[in-house]
Amino acid sequence: MSPIPEVMRAAVVRELGSTSAIHVEQVPVPAPGPTDVLVRVLASEVNHVDVFVVTGAYPTPTPFPFVVGRDLVGEIVAAGEGAGSLRVGERVWTNSLGYAGRQGALAEYALVPADRTYRLPAAADPLAAAAVLHTGATAATGLQHRARVGIGDTVLIGGGAGGVGSAAIRIASWAGARVIATARVEDAAWCTALGAQEVLDYRQADLDDRLHEAAPEGVDIFWDTSGHYDLAAATELLAPRGTLLLTAGLATRAQLPVGAFYTRDLTIRGFAMSGLSADELAAAARTVNHLITTDSPVVRATEVVELDGVAGAFERMRAGSVRARLLVRP
Ligand SMILES: NC(=O)c1ccc[n+]([C@@H]2O[C@H](COP(=O)([O-])OP(=O)(O)OC[C@H]3O[C@@H](n4cnc5c(N)ncnc54)[C@H](OP(=O)(O)O)[C@@H]3O)[C@@H](O)[C@H]2O)c1
């Protein structure tokens, strides 16, 4: 293994507010504390949440100069004495960097707390794996740990061809649920391959009627992963005791038909991955490793950018002009 250098290239910001503040700079390679591992980054990713952190839309401690980025796949090059069974040379991943005071992943090296470090399945491709770390963990948390999907449930996944939506279709179908997805017409075959029984075009005018036809007894879980909410329509579609998951739409306001909601014993669960404990993230990581190892892919399209292209990738993500997972090779 080559020696660890003293400095590295990293995508950093020195203030929050704009994606154009991201610059690639030389910064010191951090030294691991007793319960950290130092990882040489093999692959990373740009997610919507990284844009929220950089623009300040999602407030979180960001010590400057702040390395951006949440997810990485890499190889351990040094480990603190309290890093448990993790060893130098092992391939690992995390989706816990770049928020809550932790420096980020878009760099040549990154420090990862040992309890937020997961082993990469043998033979997994680092770039392909990086594409499902955040979205897969979100889908696992929403369906398995919040809504508790089960055999025979009917589940609506809105935005079924997106990152979270694709992983959610796969996980719900693994759980034995009947999945109805919404997506563009051209993505219907993709959603069906993931396990959706029915795919409806989210742009069609009579979508609500079509959803009721597809689920005459209602849906047990309603999750529009894209963050477009008509809570009255969602309430009408939910079966008694159903669960509405909210995970997107930071600035969205919506009106809830209160009587119809509580008289049918419905539940709303909202969560942000940034608020999960290390134990909750580790639980989701087990499902992510299944998504990584499954033979059929769970990511519709990827694009690879170099570290120097990260500011541009963030700006495209902010502008909403990306339909692929944006992977980064440092
Ligand atoms: N709470 C959390 O912890 C958490 C975690 C992860 C993500 N998120 C949030 O979840 C959202 C989705 O993330 P992602 O990574 O899955 O994004 P993504 O890959 O960009 O997917 C979004 C999907 O939504 C679809 N869509 C757009 N407008 C729609 C509409 N009106 N109805 C139904 N679907 C529509 C898009 O379709 P087209 O491809 O046809 O454009 C796309 O497939 C983002 O807002 C992100 O910030 C939250």
Side-chain angles (χ1 to χ4, degrees):
M1 188 174 292
S2 42
I4 303 167
E6 286 184 5
V7 292
M8 65 176 184
R9 299 178 79 233
V12 303
V13 291
R14 290 178 177 272
E15 60 180 11
L16 300 182
S18 165
T19 58
S20 62
I22 302 170
H23 292 287
V24 176
E25 293 184 12
Q26 297 268 7
V27 297
V29 173
T35 56
D36 296 326
V37 293
L38 178 67
V39 170
R40 184 170 66 85
V41 181
L42 300 171
S44 184
E45 188 187 23
V46 179
N47 278 296
H48 294 282
V49 69
D50 300 315
V51 176
F52 299 152
V53 171
V54 164
T55 57
Y58 179 80
T60 185
T62 52
F64 298 114
F66 178 66
V67 181
V68 302
R70 180 161 296 225
D71 308 336
L72 64 78
V73 175
E75 184 184 9
I76 298 178
V77 293
E81 65 271 18
S85 63
L86 294 166
R87 296 284 173 264
V88 169
E90 283 192 291
R91 283 195 169 185
V92 292
W93 62 271
T94 188
N95 51 6
S96 273
L97 300 187
Y99 67 98
R102 289 183 289 277
Q103 292 287 349
L106 290 169
E108 291 175 310
Y109 293 85
L111 275 190
V112 190
D115 63 351
R116 291 167 184 268
T117 304
Y118 320 110
R119 288 189 173 85
L120 187 72
D125 173 65
L127 272 172
V132 298
L133 304 181
H134 184 59
T135 52
T138 305
T141 301
L143 290 174
Q144 296 177 286
H145 307 298
R146 295 296 193 268
R148 301 196 171 276
V149 65
I151 294 172
D153 283 349
T154 299
V155 177
L156 171 74
I157 302 295
V164 176
S166 294
I169 294 175
R170 175 63 49 84
I171 291 167
S173 106
W174 275 345
R178 173 171 174 259
V179 182
I180 302 164
T182 68
R184 294 184 194 210
V185 174
E186 57 267 38
D187 287 327
W190 166 253
C191 294
T192 305
L194 289 166
Q197 271 84 8
E198 292 216 38
V199 186
L200 302 173
D201 183 353
Y202 65 77
R203 295 171 299 187
Q204 68 193 17
D206 61 346
L207 177 62
D208 289 342
D209 295 339
R210 301 288 306 281
L211 285 169
H212 281 278
E213 278 167 27
E217 313 220 327
V219 300
D220 301 291
I221 300 172
F222 185 114
W223 191 7
D224 186 340
T225 64
S226 76
H228 293 87
Y229 299 115
D230 176 342
L231 295 190
T235 299
E236 258 183 50
L237 188 64
L238 275 159
R241 300 191 179 224
T243 300
L244 172 65
L245 284 173
L246 299 185
T247 51
L250 263 187
T252 302
R253 286 175 176 271
Q255 283 198 321
L256 184 71
V258 173
F261 201 89
Y262 78 74
T263 54
R264 291 178 34 238
D265 212 339
L266 303 179
T267 300
I268 297 185
R269 296 294 311 253
F271 69 91
M273 294 304 284
S274 307
L276 263 59
S277 67
D279 284 350
E280 288 174 312
L281 285 166
R286 285 196 283 276
T287 301
V288 172
N289 271 347
H290 280 294
L291 292 170
I292 288 172
T293 44
T294 183
D295 282 341
S296 38
V298 78
V299 175
R300 184 189 49 181
T302 57
E303 255 183 73
V304 181
V305 298
E306 308 296 323
L307 208 49
D308 288 313
V310 160
F314 267 65
E315 181 48 28
R316 287 174 58 210
M317 183 69 89
R318 190 203 62 74
S321 58
V322 187
R323 290 193 77 234
R325 308 308 308 168
L326 290 177
L327 305 176
V328 183
R329 204 171 12 212

